[in-house]
Amino acid sequence: MNPQAKLISTLSLLLGTTITISSNHWMMAWTGLEINTLAILPLISKPHHPRAIEAATKYFLVQAAASTLLLFSCTTNALFTGQWDITQLTHPISCLLLTTAISMKLGLVPFHFWFPEVLQGSPLTTGLLLATAMKFPPITLFLLTSPSLNYTLLTIMAIASAALGGWAGLNQTQIRKILAFSSISHLGWMTIIIIYNPKLTLITFYLYCMMTAAIFLTLKTTKSLKLSSIMAAWTKIPSLNAILMLALLSLAGLPPLTGFLPKWLIIQELTKQEMTSTATIIALLSLLGLFFYLRLAYCATITLPPNSANYMKQWQTNKPVNTLTTTLITLTITLLPLSPMIFS
């Protein structure tokens, strides 16, 4: 891709995100989301492969439909209340439409069908942007409008996302699709708590972005895209592959690692709000996700590929691992013991 075009797309992404998260008026927020959508399309279709073009087309159609719903929602609210302020969304139909529109943008169940396909058709770096940075503006709009959202609909979608994110990832062999279903599952955890504690949603999102970035950058370093290639990648950088196992278990939310922190806090908050049954259901559903994380970790470190005659052993690389990757992996593994210091 032309460096100038890449720079324009990256700057447009930053501009669109900044406009959306800093706006008070619905039209400005909508404009920022549209800039974001148009800026990411060249990055998705960059490989000039039929799957990449298909991913870009699906992404454009879904995001255009979601933006139309969002615009219709805020126009309806302005028609009935005379308010264009983001925090003054009070009309029930507008609240319902906005919940649906942002759920489409994020990829919550039942509007999730586009996300695994788009992530599978994108390069790893663009996939990282789609799974993390592109979700920041819609989550910000969720936070700003959280008092007026339709909570029954949100709870149903959150539990369905946690269930389907774990269930659909079980039989996948493509790593990007597994991480897409992982993202859907984590979005369920973020959505279920947004009415009661929006700050906790933001903390969960930041920690999820950090852990996902560490995994995506590690996969990019080892050039692993499917389970069979991750099995053969251990000879390239053995130490990085061993640490990848810990990063995957952290994303699964196992206790001594960073990923346990947001799940622990969310379950604690749900219990405080006397929603013990909801907390129990979503905690049990996370076990589904744990299975495919364990399978990824098992493939990355414990198994060896079939030692057939035509199997070529990968050369061990002497290239040093990126400083950003090592920093993110360190935080992904060790942030839980530091959490009392962060919250104090």
Side-chain angles (χ1 to χ4, degrees), residues 139 143 190 193-194 197-206:
I139 280 185
L143 289 171
M190 292 175 214
I193 203 68
I194 198 160
N197 196 337
K199 286 181 183 175
L200 190 48
T201 299
L202 213 51
I203 290 168
T204 309
F205 177 70
Y206 289 150

Side-chain angles (χ1 to χ4, degrees), residues 27 66 152 195 257 267 303:
M27 290 307 289
T152 310
I195 300 285
L257 305 164
I267 289 170
T303 59

Side-chain angles (χ1 to χ4, degrees), residues 239-259:
S239 56
L240 188 64
N241 235 42
I243 292 169
L244 174 63
M245 179 184 74
L246 291 174
L248 286 163
L249 295 179
S250 178
L251 196 60
L254 281 184
L257 305 164
T258 306

